[in-house]
Amino acid sequence: PPRLQFQVPRLNLFGILPAGQVYVKVKVTDESPISSVVLTYSTDDGATWVNLRTGFDPTDRDIRVITATAGRVMAVSVYGNTYHLYTTTDDGEHWSKLPLATCGATPTALMSTPQGTLFYGDSKGQVFRSTDSGLLWTNVYRDSGSYGIINVVRSPANAHLFLRTNYGSLYRSTNDGVSWGFVATDTI
């Protein structure tokens, strides 16, 4: 039988739900040149793990982004230059593939608000917003320098949204991502 190796990559590829479930990307490699990626999760601080693969395209070879919020986990998987966005609302038991914005580039950041608004940022500095569970996407931010989006996050203190570009600029939205205003850069 082939020998399996498990690799847990960069720490930015995990998500934790408020109830304590931890989701981690795991790369499984056997002695063949093909490897596959699965999501695994734990509800007991890592003592035991359950693999989640149901609903993912069987050709997907990597998971690039994962985020978890109350009631929703989102993941972006890839095979070659084809990206897929998946979401689950039942702790990973069932996954649904969502369409990505047709004018979007490589997804680099994901976020879901408690109200169900979805966001993803891409490698060309755009942020897309969906209020219908990912069926339709609206471009709500476009960086003038085409710097990629690193993060899209929500402040638990006041529900403001923040995005950070590869250039180090920070932007804020106070209206659920409809519009964004410049806050600062890494040079302050």
Side-chain angles (χ1 to χ4, degrees):
R3 191 177 69 235
L4 298 179
Q5 300 172 0
F6 294 89
Q7 302 169 332
V8 178
R10 301 181 315 236
L11 285 178
N12 65 341
L13 296 177
F14 75 97
I16 302 174
L17 288 175
Q21 299 96 321
V22 179
Y23 291 81
V24 177
K25 168 185 139 176
V26 177
K27 184 174 184 179
V28 181
T29 306
D30 61 23
E31 292 173 344
S32 74
I34 298 174
S35 65
S36 64
V37 173
V38 297
L39 281 179
T40 184
Y41 84 101
S42 174
T43 58
D44 55 11
D45 292 328
T48 60
W49 294 89
V50 176
N51 285 348
L52 306 170
R53 188 71 169 144
T54 304
F56 281 81
D57 191 306
T59 63
D60 290 340
R61 294 288 176 233
D62 196 8
I63 296 173
R64 295 288 173 90
V65 185
I66 184 170
T67 188
T69 58
R72 181 182 298 272
V73 179
M74 293 170 48
V76 172
S77 65
V78 62
Y79 177 70
N81 291 325
T82 303
Y83 290 85
H84 300 121
L85 174 61
Y86 295 95
T87 186
T88 179
T89 56
D90 60 6
D91 293 333
E93 190 70 27
H94 302 92
W95 292 85
S96 300
K97 188 188 294 187
L98 302 178
L100 292 166
T102 56
C103 60
T106 304
T108 56
L110 295 172
M111 190 201 53
S112 173
T113 68
Q115 297 76 25
T117 303
L118 307 179
F119 293 88
Y120 84 85
D122 73 15
S123 59
K124 292 191 177 177
Q126 301 176 100
V127 174
F128 298 91
R129 175 180 184 262
S130 175
T131 57
D132 59 5
S133 298
L135 297 176
L136 298 173
W137 295 93
T138 302
N139 187 317
V140 293
Y141 175 82
R142 183 184 314 264
D143 186 82
S144 60
S146 295
Y147 297 107
I149 304 299
I150 293 177
N151 299 94
V152 181
V153 297
R154 181 181 176 273
S155 169
N158 55 20
H160 290 180
L161 306 178
F162 293 87
L163 71 86
R164 184 169 183 267
T165 68
N166 283 344
Y167 187 69
S169 298
L170 182 66
Y171 294 83
R172 175 179 50 220
S173 173
T174 59
N175 57 7
D176 199 33
V178 174
S179 61
W180 298 84
F182 176 77
V183 175
T185 65
D186 282 348
T187 59
I188 60 169

